[in-house]
């Protein structure tokens, strides 16, 4: 008589299903994975990666993306909404690190759907800085958004909203060095409702300037994306 294989021998998808089944009904876990392995894999999520993440935690990012790929999930990885200049270089670096482990491709927003449906993780430089008026190619903006050219940043976040609209993405993740928002009183805020709490968190002096700027842009994205 033989028993089930040891946990270490299970494929990543089986491990996730077992975990999800342990906290709910197995059918729900299967349905969740099936939803994003369906004919619309490009809808799973858009993950915008900050430059500092690649500077400090590129290997960890690749491990996580590899794990998602082994689950059959294909997030769209975007770069350059805050600072345009390094976006193409960032996408190329992630491709170089990830390619030995998972299918991936640097592509334009127009090519994301085809890449995802072909089983690849799409790496999307958010904009072509030369195509934007008032671009910040001089590099004055840092990774946290300080000193940026506001019209150019607005245009790049609008492009991100357009990508979410085009794909029907239900989630945009901004991956940075720190978790949540960090008001000056020392709290870490992991959840807020921008429909009711935005003005409170944008009160002068409550958030560091770069976090307030990002929160404003997130609110703009939510207003521009037509689906819930």
């Amino acid at each position: 008589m033989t028993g089930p294989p040891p946990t270490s021998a299970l494929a990543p998808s089986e491990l996730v299903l077992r975990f999800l089944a342990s906290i709910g009904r197995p059918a729900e876990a299967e349905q969740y994975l099936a939803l994003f392995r369906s004919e619309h894999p490009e809808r799973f999520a858009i993950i915008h990666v900050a430059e500092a993440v690649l500077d400090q935690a590129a290997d960890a990012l690749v491990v996580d993306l590899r794990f998602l790929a082994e689950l059959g999930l294909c997030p769209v990885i975007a770069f350059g909404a805050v600072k345009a200049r390094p976006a193409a270089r960032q996408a190329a670096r992630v491709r170089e690190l990830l390619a030995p482990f998972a299918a991936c491709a640097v592509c334009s927003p127009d090519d994301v759907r085809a890449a995802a449906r072909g089983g690849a993780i799409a790496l999307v430089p958010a904009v072509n800085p030369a195509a934007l008026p008032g671009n910040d190619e001089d590099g004055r903006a840092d990774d946290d958004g300080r000193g940026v050219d506001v019209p150019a940043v607005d245009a790049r976040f609008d492009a991100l909203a357009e990508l979410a609209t085009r794909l029907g993405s239900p989630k945009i993740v901004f991956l940075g060095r720190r978790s949540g928002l960090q008001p000056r009183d020392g709290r870490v805020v992991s959840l807020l409702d921008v429909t009711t709490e935005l003005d409170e968190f944008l009160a002068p002096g409550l958030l560091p300037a770069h976090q307030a700027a990002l929160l404003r842009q997130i609110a703009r994205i939510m207003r521009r994306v037509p689906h819930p």
Side-chain angles (χ1 to χ4, degrees), residues 33-185:
L33 287 178
L35 175 65
F36 294 110
R37 290 168 170 167
S38 66
E39 68 271 20
H40 301 297
E42 70 278 4
R43 293 183 180 178
F44 171 53
I46 296 172
I47 303 175
H48 182 275
V49 179
E51 184 176 15
V53 172
L54 292 180
D55 290 339
Q56 301 176 16
D59 290 342
L61 173 65
V62 168
V63 168
D64 288 344
L65 293 178
R66 178 183 178 181
F67 187 77
L68 288 173
E70 289 176 343
L71 290 173
L73 302 175
C74 297
V76 176
I77 312 301
F79 308 86
V82 173
K83 184 179 178 183
R85 190 173 186 179
R89 172 174 51 82
Q90 292 168 3
R93 184 181 177 197
V94 173
R95 178 182 59 186
E96 179 181 0
L97 294 172
L98 183 60
F101 310 108
C104 59
V106 176
C107 57
S108 71
D110 292 337
D111 298 326
V112 166
R113 183 174 284 107
R117 294 185 182 184
I121 292 175
L123 309 171
V124 186
V127 294
N128 174 5
L132 286 175
N135 71 77
D136 57 354
E137 279 193 286
D138 55 8
R140 290 173 297 167
D142 66 17
D143 296 326
D144 292 324
R146 298 181 180 91
V148 299
D149 184 316
V150 173
V153 171
D154 284 353
R156 294 196 292 272
F157 275 87
D158 289 349
L160 197 57
E162 172 60 28
L163 179 61
T165 298
R166 184 183 307 182
L167 299 179
S169 301
K171 180 180 294 186
I172 302 177
V173 177
F174 289 91
L175 186 62
R177 292 175 293 181
R178 298 179 179 179
S179 298
L181 297 175
Q182 292 144 353
R184 298 188 188 278
D185 58 13

Side-chain angles (χ1 to χ4, degrees), residues 185-202:
D185 58 13
R187 291 177 292 156
V188 175
V189 179
S190 298
L191 182 68
L192 67 88
D193 185 342
V194 297
T195 64
T196 60
E197 300 177 286
L198 183 63
D199 291 342
E200 173 189 345
F201 280 91
L202 291 181

